[in-house]
Amino acid sequence: MTNVLKRSDYILLSDRSFRAPDGDRYRFGFASRTAKMFRLREADAESFDAGRLDDLHPELVQELTEIEALVSTSEDELGELTRRRRARSTGARLRRLVFLPTSYCNMGCAYCGQEHTKTPVERRRVQQKIDRAVAALADPETTALHVAWFGGEPLLALRVIREISAAVLPEAERLGKPYSADVVTNGSLLTHRVLRELYDDCAIRWLEVTIDGPREVHDERRAMRNGAGTFDKIVDLIGEVIAAGSYPELTFGIRTNVDNQNEDRVAELITELARRGLASPRVILKPAPVHSWGNDVADRELKRSEYARRELEWAALAASLGMTLPATLPLRPRAATCIATSRSSEVVDSAGRVYSCTEHPLVPVDSVRGQVASLDLLPVDQRRPEGAFDSWYDEVRAGQWPCATCPFMPVCGAAAPSCGKRASCPAPATSSPGGSGSTTPRSPVDLSRMAELRLAPYASWAPSRRAWSCRWAPGTRPPPGPRRARSATTCWPARREATRPSSAATPPAPGWPGGWPSGASSPSSPAAPTTRRPAWGSTAAASWPS
């Protein structure tokens, strides 16, 4: 059997080993084709990495094959992955429309590459967007519609959002097709009344707001054009919503644009947000490195390797405070890349100009060369014309971009094409820039660190601390990052037959990796018998629940 199998190209295997309390030493692995983590005993890891598959136990080979860590020797992996994503991108089942209701913003952030202008709202432009959304719903191939409100600052044109939503939502309901929506806002105009309207009348279920640091940092970097600050207003509002359980289906994304002027204050921000009641599954932290949107940010932009190091520190801190910062291993493979690679998705600005990428509108030069159509000329029932990135999968398949050789490509989806074309890896915590504009995987040591962060929340469930202790193998040392109490550090089940906690111990999201240890008790069957692990003793498959 093993002579027809090979190690997948889309594997990351840690070079740091860990010693479990039973004395066995393990290495972590991540199969990015299925987004599944696994662990191998050290000898098995060496055989697996070297391709000596005959040295592995047949059951282990089967488990590794099931998670696509081992694949057929005849398979063209890159070709198959790009084929799947191309097929998903060219379909029209999910139509995604990004609308800019206004081209203006009431902030003047120094790092922003957009140019904002005040223009009156034109009634015909609003109707054109309504017609576009209704036509997308009427397309027999469409099964669902998602609308994203972007800007500028979209809440400056709340009336437009309200009017379009009021026209499109009933049509989606009439046709029995799911409708969803989100909004990206600077938060300056948020109030409970506005939130209620967005939630009830506009079907907003994801609201992303930017907070660039603690109060004095945020209010300086993201001051209103009149000089007023917004930190307390935004944080207090979100905290009140979380405390009251209001708008229960609404999730908040908190983006932090990071450069060399605020990188040392991000940890302080995370701590402050937790202190003020934002440590909730409904709040997702989203730090992101500042990069050029056609503007010069060379004097403030962080090196990707430096940002990656800091991001892992922030993720560890967030985990210790009960906050969510998804900078560790992805939970699932990515079905498609981004809206820029799909003609079923489009971006429409306030003047009716149509683009394929959200980084084109309002950006000098790109707003001209990136335009693919105008609503004045584009038939309402036709998808947008081909854009700059619709050939992205073919280019990746041909090896024109570093994504072709990146082991994280299946979970990244080959990035946002704009990232690749500026030689900027989209996942700094899992990759770092190589030479000559390429990107290469970060050291596998970081896989161990990310694995620890994914496992850390489960430490406190242990029947006893001793049963879940973590030990570093001789010659290794803990990776960089803030020191935390034992209950928040990496933990490892002492035995596969460890008893599962009672039903009262509800697991925190995203769930135990790979399910409970084999033979462990479950809340629904607390007396389930235990079984001993096989002699070869590799927990090959550990999946992250979706």
Side-chain angles (χ1 to χ4, degrees):
M1 175 183 175
T2 55
N3 62 345
V4 297
L5 295 175
K6 64 178 179 179
R7 178 190 187 277
S8 171
D9 292 334
Y10 300 99
I11 293 291
L12 205 66
L13 192 64
S14 70
D15 55 10
R16 171 179 286 136
S17 61
F18 297 80
R19 185 174 62 213
D22 61 6
D24 289 341
R25 292 173 63 172
Y26 296 88
R27 289 165 64 185
F28 285 118
F30 182 69
S32 67
R33 286 185 55 153
T34 52
K36 287 181 169 59
M37 177 172 280
F38 58 94
R39 69 176 187 181
L40 296 174
R41 283 181 170 170
E42 201 165 43
D44 289 338
E46 292 175 2
S47 298
F48 169 76
D49 203 28
R52 300 192 302 271
L53 305 186
D54 289 335
D55 295 345
L56 304 179
H57 191 282
E59 282 197 35
L60 175 57
V61 171
Q62 179 62 31
E63 291 177 339
L64 292 171
T65 303
E66 289 173 357
I67 63 171
E68 299 185 29
L70 294 176
V71 298
S72 171
T73 55
S74 62
E75 181 175 345
D76 173 9
E77 290 192 85
L78 178 60
E80 175 61 18
L81 290 170
T82 53
R83 182 196 65 78
R84 292 179 190 175
R85 282 156 181 75
R86 187 187 301 107
R88 182 65 177 262
S89 291
T90 54
R93 290 173 57 83
L94 172 62
R95 295 293 295 272
R96 293 181 292 182
L97 306 177
V98 180
F99 289 152
L100 280 68
T102 178
S103 298
Y104 189 63
C105 182
N106 54 355
M107 285 187 175
C109 307
Y111 52 78
C112 181
Q114 291 185 336
E115 286 188 350
H116 303 121
T117 56
K118 283 186 176 180
T119 55
V121 174
E122 296 184 57
R123 172 67 196 140
R124 68 187 181 96
R125 299 300 184 194
V126 175
Q127 188 60 49
Q128 285 175 332
K129 290 182 174 71
I130 292 173
D131 294 343
R132 195 82 183 144
V134 170
L137 284 168
D139 186 338
E141 193 176 350
T142 300
T143 59
L145 174 65
H146 180 83
V147 173
W149 301 101
F150 194 57
E153 172 46 47
L155 296 187
L156 286 168
L158 180 58
R159 179 176 64 82
V160 175
I161 298 175
R162 184 192 307 121
E163 184 175 347
I164 294 176
S165 300
V168 177
L169 275 165
E171 186 66 13
E173 184 175 359
R174 184 184 70 82
L175 295 172
K177 297 184 178 182
Y179 175 93
S180 57
D182 63 62
V183 62
V184 177
T185 172
N186 61 31
S188 63
L189 300 176
L190 284 176
T191 63
H192 283 290
R193 183 191 63 79
V194 170
L195 271 183
R196 174 60 66 186
E197 189 169 355
L198 292 173
Y199 187 81
D200 288 343
D201 301 335
C202 305
I204 299 295
R205 294 297 182 265
W206 168 269
L207 186 148
E208 182 171 314
V209 61
T210 300
I211 303 178
D212 270 1
R215 180 188 299 106
E216 65 274 19
V217 175
H218 173 84
D219 287 348
E220 178 183 356
R221 287 169 60 91
R222 298 183 61 80
M224 303 281 286
R225 294 190 186 273
N226 64 8
T230 58
F231 178 87
D232 286 322
K233 176 181 180 178
I234 296 170
V235 175
D236 288 345
L237 179 63
I238 297 176
E240 290 166 8
V241 169
I242 298 301
S246 306
Y247 325 116
E249 297 179 14
L250 180 63
T251 301
F252 295 92
I254 296 183
R255 180 184 175 102
T256 302
N257 296 312
V258 183
D259 55 29
N260 57 22
Q261 299 183 22
N262 70 335
E263 61 171 317
D264 293 329
R265 306 296 299 275
V266 175
E268 185 181 341
L269 169 65
I270 295 171
T271 303
E272 175 70 3
L273 294 178
R275 185 186 70 80
R276 294 175 65 159
L278 274 64
S280 164
R282 295 178 57 192
V283 177
I284 310 298
L285 303 180
K286 297 183 60 181
V290 168
H291 66 262
S292 172
W293 277 40
N295 55 330
D296 185 3
V297 293
D299 61 336
R300 61 197 308 153
E301 189 172 11
L302 290 174
K303 291 182 178 179
R304 283 298 189 265
S305 57
E306 173 62 15
Y307 178 85
R309 182 184 68 81
R310 301 304 299 268
E311 188 176 37
L312 289 174
E313 293 177 5
W314 301 328
L317 174 62
S320 72
L321 296 172
M323 300 202 71
T324 304
L325 194 163
T328 53
L329 296 173
L331 300 177
R332 61 187 64 85
R334 194 163 180 173
T337 298
C338 72
I339 64 171
T341 63
S342 172
R343 290 184 59 204
S344 297
S345 304
E346 62 192 50
V347 183
V348 184
D349 72 5
S350 60
R353 292 179 287 256
V354 181
Y355 301 88
S356 64
C357 177
T358 56
E359 294 196 11
H360 289 164
L362 311 185
V363 176
V365 181
D366 284 339
S367 62
V368 176
R369 68 186 180 188
Q371 182 179 349
V372 298
S374 168
L375 293 186
D376 289 333
L377 301 175
L378 183 64
V380 71
D381 59 346
Q382 286 189 17
R383 286 185 276 172
R384 66 163 174 81
E386 185 171 314
F389 305 120
D390 287 301
S391 61
W392 179 245
Y393 296 116
D394 294 329
E395 295 176 13
V396 171
R397 176 68 186 88
Q400 297 180 30
W401 303 106
C403 302
T405 56
C406 176
F408 277 98
M409 196 270 276
V411 286
C412 171
S418 58
C419 292
K421 294 195 175 185
R422 62 174 175 259
S424 171
C425 178
T430 52
S431 303
S432 62
S436 303
S438 66
T439 54
T440 55
R442 280 176 58 80
S443 165
V445 170
D446 291 316
L447 176 66
S448 302
R449 182 58 172 157
M450 289 186 284
E452 294 168 41
L453 295 175
R454 188 61 78 190
L455 292 170
Y458 313 102
S460 60
W461 302 2
S464 70
R465 287 285 181 266
R466 181 172 300 175
W468 290 70
S469 62
C470 170
R471 302 174 187 172
W472 298 98
T476 68
R477 58 187 174 83
R483 295 184 63 85
R484 293 168 288 158
R486 174 177 290 273
S487 63
T489 57
T490 309
C491 290
W492 196 264
R495 333 166 75 88
R496 275 183 64 102
E497 61 269 28
T499 301
R500 190 176 189 176
S502 69
S503 57
T506 303
W512 176 264
W516 292 95
S518 177
S521 301
S522 69
S524 59
S525 56
T530 60
T531 57
R532 297 197 62 80
R533 63 184 173 193
W536 54 93
S538 295
T539 315
S543 63
W544 303 124
S546 60

